[in-house]
Amino acid sequence: MRKQRHTTYAHCPVEATLDIIGGKWKSIILFRVLEETRRFNELRRLLPSLTQRTLTNQLRELERDGLIARKVYAQVPPKVEYSITAFGKTLEPVLLSLKSWAETHMLARMRREA
């Protein structure tokens, strides 16, 4: 179930961003779709610990928020592709910064602890 959104974010714009891309999976899904257009089962393979139901729900929310586009092809078996929208593309610098931060800090930390 989707959490209730606030009507204003005047005091904390970061809250507005996290309200849209927050949670365990949305930013990861966005990152994968930013790389290239993905099919549903391709996303499932890339995110093996994500359940089908959760992936479906997260994709619906991302689509509803205008970050990804869903294209259904009229064929059997059904083919559905997810791609980044122009609005979703505006998050690319944010996601790439998170990736860079992780490579610099988290990977180095993991190497030290190993």
Side-chain angles (χ1 to χ4, degrees):
M1 182 130 250
R2 186 171 177 92
K3 66 183 176 211
Q4 179 66 37
R5 290 203 170 167
H6 302 278
T7 56
T8 180
Y9 298 98
H11 301 293
C12 186
V14 172
E15 185 180 358
T17 305
L18 292 177
D19 199 22
I20 293 174
I21 66 165
K24 186 174 180 179
W25 298 108
K26 284 185 182 177
S27 55
I28 299 167
I29 293 167
L30 280 172
F31 185 76
R32 293 303 190 175
V33 174
L34 263 170
E35 293 171 331
E36 63 183 277
T37 298
R38 305 282 185 171
R39 293 182 65 184
F40 184 85
N41 283 330
E42 187 177 7
L43 288 167
R44 285 206 59 205
R45 281 191 298 278
L46 289 168
L47 308 166
S49 57
L50 179 60
T51 66
Q52 182 172 339
R53 181 173 186 252
T54 300
L55 177 58
T56 299
N57 289 337
Q58 298 294 279
L59 287 167
R60 284 180 184 158
E61 288 182 19
L62 290 167
E63 182 184 11
R64 184 175 54 231
D65 290 333
L67 298 173
I68 62 170
R70 179 177 185 259
K71 183 174 182 179
V72 180
Y73 294 87
Q75 65 182 51
V76 177
K79 177 181 174 183
V80 179
E81 290 182 338
Y82 296 91
S83 58
I84 199 77
T85 63
F87 181 53
K89 189 102 168 119
T90 63
L91 286 166
E92 186 172 22
V94 175
L95 295 170
L96 292 177
S97 291
L98 286 170
K99 177 184 181 242
S100 177
W101 183 87
E103 289 170 345
T104 301
H105 300 286
M106 297 306 296
L107 297 179
R109 183 179 185 181
M110 289 168 51
R111 280 188 222 104
R112 284 193 307 269
E113 291 174 358

